[in-house]
Amino acid sequence: MKKFKFELEQVLEFRNFEKEAAEGELAKALAVENEIQEKLNNIALQYLSLKKQMKGSLDFSDMLSQSQHSNLLEYQKEELLKQLAEAKLVTEQKRLVLQECMKKTTALEKLKEKQLEQYRAEENYEESEFMDDLAVMRKNP
């Protein structure tokens, strides 16, 4: 009996390699997004802490210093929001690339499964024919 061989196995392996690379790129893009989000969360915490410090303070120099710090935090927040928007665009592009790779891989895997089922059916048919021939040969020596 011959062994099953999928003629497009190398193409499938290459598609799987592409898919894994796309998954890695998406993971990197998501990590960048998460890092920016963490920085934004940190700025929000600093801003809350600053508000608590300013509450009830009557010292003008403290108020001026805290106001400048608040402006700095606001500037940093705006810059991080721009970076986050760009990172989200990159992430979406990476996600689309991964989806395309997954479609190609899935199509080849389905083709392989279909060919494997056909191979098994042919093997079963050949085996049953062989058994039938043996049975006939035993009855008619």
Side-chain angles (χ1 to χ4, degrees):
M1 287 186 207
K2 61 182 181 176
K3 187 175 177 183
F4 173 73
K5 183 175 188 305
F6 182 54
E7 293 177 9
L8 299 174
E9 188 66 38
Q10 289 181 333
V11 175
L12 178 59
E13 288 173 6
F14 177 71
R15 296 282 189 222
N16 280 326
F17 175 78
E18 282 183 324
K19 185 178 86 168
E20 289 172 8
E23 287 171 345
E25 290 296 318
L26 178 59
K28 288 177 187 176
L30 287 171
V32 168
E33 238 184 86
N34 289 337
E35 183 180 323
I36 294 169
Q37 188 60 52
E38 284 296 318
K39 289 177 182 178
L40 282 168
N41 292 344
N42 187 25
I43 287 175
L45 290 174
Q46 288 180 31
Y47 194 73
L48 286 174
S49 174
L50 188 62
K51 286 289 185 190
K52 284 182 183 178
Q53 287 176 353
M54 287 179 69
K55 191 174 184 178
S57 177
L58 298 175
D59 186 9
F60 181 75
S61 63
D62 283 346
M63 292 171 72
L64 183 61
S65 173
Q66 291 171 351
S67 175
Q68 289 174 341
H69 190 222
S70 176
N71 289 341
L72 175 64
L73 290 175
E74 190 65 31
Y75 173 77
Q76 288 175 340
K77 180 184 85 170
E78 291 301 318
E79 288 300 312
L80 286 172
L81 286 173
K82 288 178 190 175
Q83 290 176 15
L84 184 61
E86 290 172 8
K88 285 187 179 285
L89 287 174
V90 169
T91 299
E92 189 56 33
Q93 289 171 345
K94 301 295 183 187
R95 188 172 280 118
L96 291 174
V97 168
L98 177 60
Q99 286 175 346
E100 190 62 33
C101 287
M102 290 174 76
K103 283 180 189 177
K104 292 176 182 178
T105 303
T106 302
L108 282 173
E109 287 172 347
K110 286 181 181 179
L111 178 62
K112 182 178 180 179
E113 283 298 316
K114 188 175 179 180
Q115 287 182 4
L116 182 59
E117 286 176 26
Q118 184 178 358
Y119 166 80
R120 287 179 179 157
E122 289 172 4
E123 287 291 313
N124 288 338
Y125 176 76
E126 288 177 15
E127 186 177 325
S128 68
E129 285 292 311
F130 178 74
M131 295 302 239
D132 288 346
D133 289 346
L134 273 178
V136 169
M137 288 174 66
R138 284 187 181 165
K139 280 188 174 181
N140 301 326

